[in-house]
Amino acid sequence: MKKKFVAACSLAGCSALAHAEPNVTLYGDLDQYLGYIHSSSGKSVTGLNDGAILRSRLGLRGVEELGGGYQTRFTLEQGLNANTGGAADSSRLFDRQAWVGMTTPAGEFRIGRQNTIVFFIGGAIDYTERTTYGSVINTFGVPSRYDNDISYKSPRVAGFQFDAHYALTESAGESIGARGVYQFGLDYSQGPYRAGYAGLWAKPAANAQFSKKVVYHNLYANYDYGKGKLYFAYVRSNNVTSNASGNTAAAILNNVSIPGNAFTGANADVQRMYNIYQVSADYRLSPQWRIGALYGVMQDTSHRDSGAQGGNFGTYYDLSKRTTLYGFASYMKNDANAGFRFSGSAGPTANLAGADINGKSLAGLQAGILHRF
């Protein structure tokens, strides 16, 4: 339910927005779940976590009609830890999005902190929108958003839509384009078919010990067969996940921000490339009730025995257009030298690490409620 925002802006802590035009909308969601994780080491953990499907958030969204097919648009969005009431990122007021842009007959232009193309196409990856414990793609880690980002999205023509982003480094003495985070996407959607590509590239700091670029390539396709969808996805990346702990602990390029949108080039793991394959399907038992399953394999092409495989089974039940109950049962097996662990839309606050995940198998359960407003 979208509400016109005409009261004081408690989210931003500023009364000036109380006088905003009536085309400003307050929106958000609350997603809370009980999570249980058990390791083959014998250790288990249970906790109340935020964001199995969607990270809890509050946002402001505005549109001003300029006429002739032109609009000014903005979004300010803050992530929440609803289980504690704290901010998802205490160093930022709007950690998820903070951008302003224009929609024109030639497409949409935005500047500011924005979600990545890879993040945006999550609903095309698997039936869980690539966010639950069982998604191997989510376990590896997804580049989600970056600062100082300039983007363009084309109109959809004959089913095709093009996306491009460039996040500046803002480094003294460097020309535009010398480094930063580059993104490109091409999405096709026509009838029951959807397919596309989303990619990201980033260069290391000057004079880096390891000069190899960070890349993230994502191919996807799905088919709506009426009662549900079939999903196929492939990822190739050398950006070892920040959702891991232990043998594969460090993200080379941070998934949500990094000073100057560049990385130091000091981590030898940038030379290690992964291939990830995942298949998924869902089926609607009734207008309110949907079930699904997925399976994925993460292959370390450097042959260091540092991959993983796993999957899940899940169910969603819509109590209304805004409220959904859900449950998932997931399993993952780390290779001997891997240390990947479960994640959701947000990293679980109750999780396992170290000797309890390195080379271990993990089983997980999630049961929760998602409310959108």
Side-chain angles (χ1 to χ4, degrees), residues 88 109 250 284 292 300 312:
F109 302 83
R284 192 165 288 281
D300 178 3
N312 83 350

Side-chain angles (χ1 to χ4, degrees), residues 43 45 75 99 137 140 156 162 180-181 265 267-268 288 361 370:
K43 289 286 185 65
V45 62
T75 294
W99 57 264
I137 291 176
F140 182 81
R156 193 172 289 277
F162 166 79
V181 179
N267 189 337
Q288 294 80 30
S361 298
L370 167 63

Side-chain angles (χ1 to χ4, degrees), residues 48-120:
L48 179 62
N49 300 305
D50 185 274
I53 304 170
L54 295 176
R55 185 67 188 260
S56 295
R57 71 197 72 187
L58 288 171
L60 294 171
R61 185 164 47 223
V63 179
E64 181 184 13
E65 297 290 344
L66 302 175
Y70 290 82
Q71 296 175 324
T72 301
R73 304 169 63 89
F74 77 86
T75 294
L76 299 171
E77 189 175 277
Q78 177 190 50
L80 303 173
N81 290 317
N83 52 318
T84 65
D89 183 346
S90 59
S91 69
R92 300 169 185 261
L93 181 57
F94 299 108
D95 63 299
R96 295 189 61 86
Q97 298 186 75
W99 57 264
V100 63
M102 289 193 67
T103 300
T104 76
E108 185 172 5
F109 302 83
R110 298 178 180 178
I111 52 176
R113 180 168 172 82
Q114 302 177 57
N115 291 332
T116 64
I117 302 170
V118 175
F119 179 89
F120 182 74

Side-chain angles (χ1 to χ4, degrees), residues 49-337:
N49 300 305
D50 185 274
I53 304 170
L54 295 176
R55 185 67 188 260
S56 295
R57 71 197 72 187
L58 288 171
L60 294 171
R61 185 164 47 223
V63 179
E64 181 184 13
E65 297 290 344
L66 302 175
Y70 290 82
Q71 296 175 324
T72 301
R73 304 169 63 89
F74 77 86
T75 294
L76 299 171
E77 189 175 277
Q78 177 190 50
L80 303 173
N81 290 317
N83 52 318
T84 65
D89 183 346
S90 59
S91 69
R92 300 169 185 261
L93 181 57
F94 299 108
D95 63 299
R96 295 189 61 86
Q97 298 186 75
W99 57 264
V100 63
M102 289 193 67
T103 300
T104 76
E108 185 172 5
F109 302 83
R110 298 178 180 178
I111 52 176
R113 180 168 172 82
Q114 302 177 57
N115 291 332
T116 64
I117 302 170
V118 175
F119 179 89
F120 182 74
I121 53 94
I125 301 303
D126 65 50
Y127 85 100
T128 73
E129 300 188 25
R130 193 196 50 205
T131 55
T132 64
Y133 283 0
S135 172
V136 175
I137 291 176
N138 186 51
T139 294
F140 182 81
V142 177
S144 298
R145 56 192 63 87
Y146 292 101
D147 300 337
N148 310 318
D149 193 13
I150 302 169
S151 73
Y152 166 73
K153 178 178 287 189
S154 75
R156 193 172 289 277
V157 179
F160 290 94
Q161 187 169 50
F162 166 79
D163 261 320
H165 289 235
Y166 172 57
L168 285 71
T169 62
E170 298 187 335
S171 299
E174 281 192 354
S175 61
I176 290 181
R179 287 188 295 148
V181 179
Y182 301 82
Q183 300 176 60
F184 170 82
L186 183 63
D187 182 82
Y188 173 78
S189 181
Q190 196 79 277
Y193 300 98
R194 185 178 181 185
Y197 165 81
L200 177 148
W201 302 259
K203 298 179 182 179
N207 303 316
Q209 182 181 359
F210 301 98
S211 60
K212 191 176 182 67
K213 296 177 183 177
V214 159
V215 298
Y216 190 100
H217 303 295
N218 192 172
L219 291 169
Y220 57 92
N222 54 73
Y223 172 71
D224 188 333
Y225 62 90
K227 282 287 191 176
K229 290 184 180 181
L230 304 175
Y231 302 82
F232 306 90
Y234 166 74
V235 171
R236 181 171 174 82
S237 179
N238 57 349
N239 196 38
V240 181
T241 177
S242 60
N243 291 331
S245 177
N247 291 339
T248 42
I252 299 167
L253 178 73
N254 191 285
N255 288 341
V256 295
S257 66
I258 194 166
N261 292 321
F263 58 100
T264 63
N267 189 337
D269 281 340
V270 74
Q271 301 173 106
R272 180 169 60 185
M273 193 69 68
Y274 285 83
N275 289 330
I276 307 170
Y277 306 88
Q278 187 166 282
V279 295
S280 174
D282 64 3
Y283 179 80
R284 192 165 288 281
L285 296 168
S286 73
Q288 294 80 30
W289 190 12
R290 178 167 62 102
I291 60 174
L294 64 84
Y295 176 75
V297 177
M298 189 191 309
Q299 296 178 342
D300 178 3
T301 63
S302 66
H303 307 293
R304 300 181 191 177
D305 207 14
S306 297
Q309 58 183 299
N312 83 350
F313 175 82
T315 183
Y316 299 81
Y317 188 83
D318 297 325
L319 296 176
S320 69
K321 290 182 179 180
R322 300 189 302 273
T323 303
T324 299
L325 301 178
Y326 59 82
F328 303 98
S330 304
Y331 175 80
M332 181 176 65
K333 184 181 187 315
N334 277 299
D335 290 346
N337 296 321

